[in-house]
Amino acid sequence: MTGCCGCCTALKPRYKRLVDSIFPDNPEDGLVKDNMQKLVYYGTSKPEKLDRIGQYLEQRLSRDVTRSRTGYVSISMEALDQLLLACHAHSNLFVESFLKMVHKTLESPEPQLQILASQSFVKFANIEEDTPSYHRSYDFFVSKFSSMCHSSAEPETTRIRIRVAGLHGLQGIVKKTVSDDLQVNIWDPVHMNKIIPSLLYSLQGCNMDNDPESPKEDESPGVVAEMVLRDLVCRATFGNITSVLKPVLQHLDYHKLWVPNKFAVKIFRILMYSVQDQYGHMVVHHLMSHLDAHNKDEPRVKAGIVDVVSETVVIAAGGSVGPSVLEVFNTLLRHLKSSVSVQTSDRQRVLDEKNFQEAVINTIGEFANNLPDYQKIEIMMFVMGKVPLLDLEEDVSSGDRKDTLLQTMLLKTMLKVATKYRTVLMINAFPPAFLDPLLRMSLAYDAGIRLIVQEILHTLLDRHDNSGKLKFVSENSDTITWIPKDIQALNLTVEKASQQDIFFIKKNGPQFYSCIYENMLQENNKVDNFEALYCTLALLSIELGGEDILVDLVRLAMGIQNISVSSDLPVTHTCAIHAIVAAYLNLIGQLSAIPNMCTHVSEIIDARKNKAPHLLPDFAFNRSNTEQSYPTSTNVKDELLFDQAVINEALTSRGYDTSTLGTPFTISRLSQSRLGRMDSWFADMAHSTSDIHSITLSIDSSSSSQTPLMGQRGQAPEDITFESLKKIITEDDVERKRSQEMKQKAILEKFQTAPFEQIVAKIDAESMVFQNKLSEILTTISDENKDNAPQHQTTAVFDMQFPDLYVY
């Protein structure tokens, strides 16, 4: 019988005898290396036999897998790896046999065999094939490796090894397919919907951030999954990045991972740092689209998505150019407006909506922080265009509260963007399209809105971080920090204004002054509003207050002082206004270094400290005051007011032109109503009688005798406003246009109806008149030349002597 077996063995083909020789009698002895070298040499020398060798190995492996001979299966897989490494360039059929054996091994329920097959597939994936295979399919391997990533086998060590093997298998598929367009399209949603959730599932169970004793990279599913995800994303192009992002968003939705969103933030940070720079904005775009899809969800979910957007835009902002920037802001502002419009009595819902609104504002600020400065101004202009414009005279109680709240949120958004902007030139920070509507909003009825506008102005005006030093009350306590005499203790940074800034304030100064003046008259002002107005005044003086506008600033201060004397404001407002004037004149007096002015201001301040301390910031801006703390009368003695004549003399002595200082700074529109309508803003913005900054002629009866040009005493003042001039010019243009049209119509009718002979005769007559006039002029000129010409005898042409050069 033994002889018969030996005889049958001798009859086997050589490749089968070589394959059989690599298997030892005891599988624990491992592969017979000498015989393996013979098999490799035979395969390389006779590549036409490789497909048969593969088929025979496949038969043996299938039998061993069925019989659970794990040792022989390991030997077969090792032999396949060596043959594939040495002979892969010679036969595609052998590769097919190899994949069938890996397929068969992966179907085994034994974890060890699955891990072994996965390792063999990874080795195969690292081999670069010379010839592509058009019919090869990896559908089974994608499904099997993905299922291995979700393994729940016991014990834990085995489960971890299976998951890691599945992750390495997925990485092998990615390496094998993404670099070859002729291979299967791994970016197909069918494959990505299996690969991405498997990677996220492995990452979700990873606590490596919190556990310092986490396994090493080869043993931790979380680390391997992150490596595979980064490798996959970095290979994605513009056309297939969507195939990666959609499964990610779906996974986060299905498992409700937006609240809390720590895992979502981690995933998108991985995506943003792995994706190619030029495609980073696509991640933000898909997130914004996903936010739109969740528009009707709970605010906590939307806030979680917006927080993720905030983390991603910081990374993507540098690569986001063109319309993608405004697209992001437009979407965020739309959701902000939608949140503001929600009306509910549920306190928790109100709190969630507020948190969502804050998240949107912070996201816009973070995005703007990474944009160039010119785009930050464009963003503020874009947000300003979204602010609803309400009637400035309308009380909030009778108006639309939702619009007021929306205004507040949008202005907070602008303030957040403004904090990221670094002002260099005022003309760049305040383009007309941005400055005009911003100053309009500074006259809103709501005190909170006016305060936010002032804070925006502070942020853009303050180039040297002086605003914090100018506050009367420290941010951490209610202690008054105003130093009345010596401003050097404030350590203010003051630099000379550039010519561009001086030109800017000369052009736009009247708008600033008028807005500040009108803001002083608001009946619902609070201490914060008055403090903000003082800070705005001080910043204008520090940043733009050159010698050219000093007189205008003093004139504004005296006009503000007259408000508290002549108006019927509450006593708290009167005290605050007088305190602002005292602090402001003290500031600009020392900044301009005019001794006589500083002396006068110091004397008035000392007098107030002794007789009327409520007119100084120490009292007026003390938050702990009560109604009983204030005096009952708002009348202020003249000796406690700043004397305009003394200040005028002090300025004149230093060479300043004070011709406009005596003109009262008044706004006639405010004498008729507390605030004018916004649509008449440009009609009467600034007011003066002899300054180019204003065209309003308004004077009361008490001062009319000092200005003869203003008319007789008791006559009503004449207002020459922008609208009146515009009306006159418009009427003139209309009349001129109407007259021109009538003339053209008459000429047209004449040529259409008159006989031809009559038209010719008229044209000939006009031509004769022109010809006669021309002949008369030429005759007159000729006679004058004859009278002035010297008398001499005329020589005939033929008697003239010409040079030989001209004679032939």
Side-chain angles (χ1 to χ4, degrees), residues 572-588:
T572 54
H573 291 49
T574 302
C575 294
I577 292 174
H578 280 294
I580 288 176
V581 174
Y584 185 57
L585 288 177
N586 177 67
L587 175 68
I588 61 177

Side-chain angles (χ1 to χ4, degrees), residues 457-471:
L457 292 175
H458 299 167
T459 305
L460 297 178
L461 287 172
D462 187 14
R463 291 177 290 195
H464 303 93
D465 299 328
N466 290 321
S467 57
K469 306 172 186 177
L470 295 170
K471 293 183 177 180

Side-chain angles (χ1 to χ4, degrees), residues 396-407:
V396 176
S397 59
S398 62
D400 194 347
R401 292 181 181 272
K402 290 190 297 183
D403 285 343
T404 301
L405 182 58
L406 179 60
Q407 285 180 332

Side-chain angles (χ1 to χ4, degrees), residues 393-437:
E393 292 182 345
E394 184 179 3
D395 194 337
V396 176
S397 59
S398 62
D400 194 347
R401 292 181 181 272
K402 290 190 297 183
D403 285 343
T404 301
L405 182 58
L406 179 60
Q407 285 180 332
T408 303
M409 289 295 120
L410 292 177
L411 289 174
K412 284 184 177 180
T413 303
M414 291 178 55
L415 178 60
K416 191 71 175 182
V417 178
T419 56
K420 310 299 181 181
Y421 180 78
R422 192 66 181 176
T423 302
V424 178
L425 293 176
M426 295 298 174
I427 194 171
N428 295 334
F430 294 101
F434 172 63
L435 177 62
D436 294 342

Side-chain angles (χ1 to χ4, degrees), residues 27 59 66 342 423 480 485 504 527 533 666 677 708 711 762 797:
Q59 294 175 5
T66 304
V342 173
T423 302
I480 303 296
K485 292 297 182 64
F504 169 81
V527 176
L533 289 172
T666 58
R677 298 181 62 86
K762 183 176 181 181
V797 175

Side-chain angles (χ1 to χ4, degrees), residues 304-472:
I305 299 176
V306 171
D307 287 338
V308 176
V309 175
S310 177
E311 294 290 335
T312 57
V313 295
V314 173
I315 306 171
S320 295
V321 294
S324 61
V325 176
L326 293 181
E327 181 182 356
V328 172
F329 281 96
N330 190 32
T331 303
L332 291 173
L333 292 176
R334 186 173 65 252
H335 284 279
L336 181 62
K337 183 177 180 179
S338 176
S339 177
V340 170
S341 62
V342 173
Q343 293 182 348
T344 179
S345 58
D346 187 356
R347 293 184 177 180
Q348 184 61 41
R349 179 63 183 270
V350 173
L351 180 60
D352 292 342
E353 291 289 353
K354 184 177 180 181
N355 293 335
F356 172 67
Q357 295 163 10
E358 293 295 333
V360 172
I361 294 174
N362 291 333
T363 300
I364 292 176
E366 291 298 329
F367 196 4
N369 188 36
N370 292 271
L371 295 175
D373 284 344
Y374 75 91
Q375 280 192 326
K376 294 174 186 176
I377 293 296
E378 290 179 356
I379 293 303
M380 286 191 283
M381 294 171 60
F382 181 75
V383 176
M384 193 72 224
K386 301 290 184 179
V387 178
L389 299 179
L390 303 179
D391 193 333
L392 294 180
E393 292 182 345
E394 184 179 3
D395 194 337
V396 176
S397 59
S398 62
D400 194 347
R401 292 181 181 272
K402 290 190 297 183
D403 285 343
T404 301
L405 182 58
L406 179 60
Q407 285 180 332
T408 303
M409 289 295 120
L410 292 177
L411 289 174
K412 284 184 177 180
T413 303
M414 291 178 55
L415 178 60
K416 191 71 175 182
V417 178
T419 56
K420 310 299 181 181
Y421 180 78
R422 192 66 181 176
T423 302
V424 178
L425 293 176
M426 295 298 174
I427 194 171
N428 295 334
F430 294 101
F434 172 63
L435 177 62
D436 294 342
L438 182 64
L439 292 180
R440 295 180 196 176
M441 286 306 303
S442 69
L443 299 177
Y445 180 85
D446 186 78
I449 292 178
R450 296 199 304 272
L451 179 61
I452 298 174
V453 174
Q454 295 300 322
E455 291 175 350
I456 294 173
L457 292 175
H458 299 167
T459 305
L460 297 178
L461 287 172
D462 187 14
R463 291 177 290 195
H464 303 93
D465 299 328
N466 290 321
S467 57
K469 306 172 186 177
L470 295 170
K471 293 183 177 180
F472 293 132

Side-chain angles (χ1 to χ4, degrees), residues 473-645:
V473 181
S474 62
E475 296 180 355
N476 300 326
S477 64
D478 291 340
T479 305
I480 303 296
T481 59
W482 179 65
I483 301 175
K485 292 297 182 64
D486 188 7
I487 66 170
Q488 293 182 357
L490 298 178
N491 296 322
L492 298 175
T493 303
V494 182
E495 295 182 359
K496 186 177 180 180
S498 63
Q499 290 296 327
Q500 295 94 327
D501 290 341
I502 293 175
F503 174 77
F504 169 81
I505 194 61
K506 281 185 175 181
K507 179 181 179 181
N508 301 287
Q511 299 182 42
F512 282 100
Y513 307 152
S514 297
C515 288
I516 294 173
Y517 187 89
E518 292 190 48
N519 269 273
M520 292 290 179
L521 291 179
Q522 302 296 325
E523 295 178 0
N524 60 349
N525 274 337
K526 296 179 175 56
V527 176
D528 293 337
N529 293 99
F530 285 115
E531 186 178 25
L533 289 172
Y534 167 75
C535 187
T536 304
L537 282 168
L539 289 174
L540 287 174
S541 303
I542 295 172
E543 298 291 344
L544 303 169
E547 297 180 354
D548 300 299
I549 64 169
L550 179 61
V551 175
D552 294 333
L553 296 175
V554 173
R555 175 169 168 261
L556 174 61
M558 301 308 299
I560 294 174
Q561 178 178 257
N562 294 334
I563 293 177
S564 57
V565 175
S566 58
S567 62
D568 297 331
L569 293 173
V571 63
T572 54
H573 291 49
T574 302
C575 294
I577 292 174
H578 280 294
I580 288 176
V581 174
Y584 185 57
L585 288 177
N586 177 67
L587 175 68
I588 61 177
Q590 297 191 41
L591 288 177
S592 58
I594 302 177
N596 294 339
M597 181 177 175
C598 293
T599 301
H600 175 66
V601 172
S602 179
E603 291 175 353
I604 299 299
I605 291 176
D606 291 338
R608 290 185 178 183
K609 291 177 65 176
N610 296 328
K611 300 180 180 181
H614 58 278
L615 300 181
L616 294 176
D618 305 81
F619 179 91
F621 291 92
N622 192 339
R623 265 71 170 179
S624 61
N625 289 341
T626 60
E627 294 183 2
Q628 291 74 20
S629 304
Y630 291 91
T632 57
S633 176
T634 59
N635 295 329
V636 181
K637 297 180 180 180
D638 292 342
E639 62 183 11
L640 300 178
L641 297 176
F642 296 97
D643 193 343
Q644 181 173 330

